[in-house]
Amino acid sequence: MTTYHTITIDHLTIFYREAGDPQKPTMLLLHGFPSASHMFRDLMPLLADHFHLIAPDYPGFGQSSLPDPADFAYTFTHLAAVMTDFITQLGLSKFYLYVFDYGAPIGFHIAAAHPDWIAGIVSQNGNVYREGLGAKWATRQDFWDHPTAAKRASYRNAFAPDTIRGQYLTGAPAHSVGPDGYTLDIAYTQRPHYADAQLDLIFDYQNNIKAYPTFQRYLRDYQPPLLAIWGKNDPSFIFPGALAFTRDDPHAIVQGVNSGHFALESHAPEIAQAILRTFA
């Protein structure tokens, strides 16, 4: 059974889902953009007999606090710091890490700072290599190099309803993705301060790419057990990003599934089986 909780971290309310026996190995599931922990709603029951599962919503996402960007720095290092405090407050000292999309830089910031915490990593379309950056990132690089108010405003399209639906449906088999996930994500975009918070994170994403060498050094130095399982039709984080893990972590297992960015929407059973084969 999945249960639902909130905890106060740094004066913020952080929502999280929990499933499984706390005596089992813990897996911390870190969601992506523009989603929240509901993206794990199909996966968690499939793993709950084998893992103790915890899936938080970051500040600014899902059911967690969405502070005004005037009062809260929406950067990935700050989100990683809040999640580090979340981990500490829950008393987690060793866990598997599931990272997806935005969860990858957040999770790898945590892993690099606390390598003793990490029992293993599942990276599902969670990129830490330039080889994994799809074509859209060239446009973002121009925004980062030459920012203007007009360019910033244009990125409101990144969380427009049609864009969110496209993120879910592109690359997935026809009729395999239900409307529940993207409809909820679209609803969350209507919260106060959402747009400015997300635009700040889009601008800050450049610092994740600058941190890739740090994340890759962590992989080389510690070589955690790692499963890179990818929706291989993802146009945002392309499959070469999954293959690149083997360069720094030679024992990494790489697997593609016939889906897009939100591969859990269509392939949760296949991804769960890969996780169990690798770690359970």
Side-chain angles (χ1 to χ4, degrees):
M1 180 174 86
T2 299
T3 57
Y4 308 93
H5 309 269
T6 59
I7 190 172
T8 301
I9 304 288
D10 304 338
H11 308 291
L12 302 168
T13 298
I14 300 299
F15 172 88
Y16 66 98
R17 299 162 194 261
E18 185 171 14
D21 182 351
Q23 300 305 311
K24 300 280 188 180
T26 296
M27 180 175 288
L28 181 69
L29 303 113
L30 298 181
H31 67 80
F33 165 84
S35 198
S37 61
H38 66 268
M39 66 164 282
F40 300 114
R41 66 197 180 281
D42 294 330
L43 181 68
M44 292 176 74
L46 299 173
L47 298 179
D49 288 344
H50 302 272
F51 294 97
H52 172 223
L53 301 152
I54 296 176
D57 293 354
Y58 316 133
F61 292 79
Q63 294 292 319
S64 289
S65 294
L66 203 172
D68 189 327
D71 304 316
F72 182 90
Y74 283 93
T75 68
F76 286 88
T77 55
H78 195 186
L79 295 184
V82 175
M83 288 296 101
T84 298
D85 291 345
F86 173 83
I87 291 163
T88 302
Q89 192 156 325
L90 289 187
L92 307 181
S93 58
K94 195 79 171 181
F95 51 87
Y96 292 93
L97 191 60
Y98 186 116
V99 298
F100 165 73
D101 187 70
Y102 276 16
I106 293 169
F108 275 92
H109 274 301
I110 293 168
H114 302 279
D116 54 308
W117 288 357
I118 307 303
I121 297 173
V122 180
S123 180
Q124 185 251 299
N125 298 73
N127 190 60
V128 295
Y129 291 91
R130 286 188 176 271
E131 293 94 321
L133 297 175
K136 77 173 189 182
W137 296 96
T139 304
R140 293 202 175 187
Q141 188 67 56
D142 174 70
F143 170 47
W144 299 332
D145 291 344
H146 308 287
T148 66
K151 289 178 184 177
R152 177 182 167 93
S154 74
Y155 279 97
R156 290 176 181 269
N157 181 62
F159 42 85
D162 285 347
T163 305
I164 292 174
R165 278 190 288 270
Q167 287 177 307
Y168 273 77
L169 299 176
T170 300
H175 313 299
S176 67
V177 175
D180 303 337
Y182 62 73
T183 300
L184 185 53
D185 285 348
I186 290 166
Y188 282 140
T189 67
Q190 305 306 308
R191 298 172 70 192
H193 310 305
Y194 180 90
D196 284 334
Q198 296 302 331
L199 291 171
D200 285 354
L201 286 170
I202 288 170
F203 186 71
D204 186 63
Y205 201 92
Q206 62 184 298
N207 292 313
N208 297 332
I209 296 172
K210 293 172 185 175
Y212 282 179
T214 299
F215 303 156
Q216 293 159 14
R217 184 167 59 250
Y218 158 75
L219 291 168
R220 286 195 302 274
D221 290 348
Y222 294 95
Q223 298 198 2
L226 189 143
L227 170 66
I229 187 158
W230 229 254
K232 62 185 179 180
N233 306 322
D234 183 357
S236 182
F237 294 125
I238 56 178
F239 192 59
L243 298 171
F245 278 104
T246 60
R247 187 170 67 230
D248 294 307
D249 197 346
H251 303 295
I253 296 169
V254 178
Q255 181 176 335
V257 299
N258 183 30
S259 192
H261 188 62
F262 280 94
L264 282 177
E265 295 292 313
S266 57
H267 285 70
E270 187 173 339
I271 291 170
Q273 286 302 312
I275 292 169
L276 295 176
R277 283 195 303 270
T278 306
F279 298 121

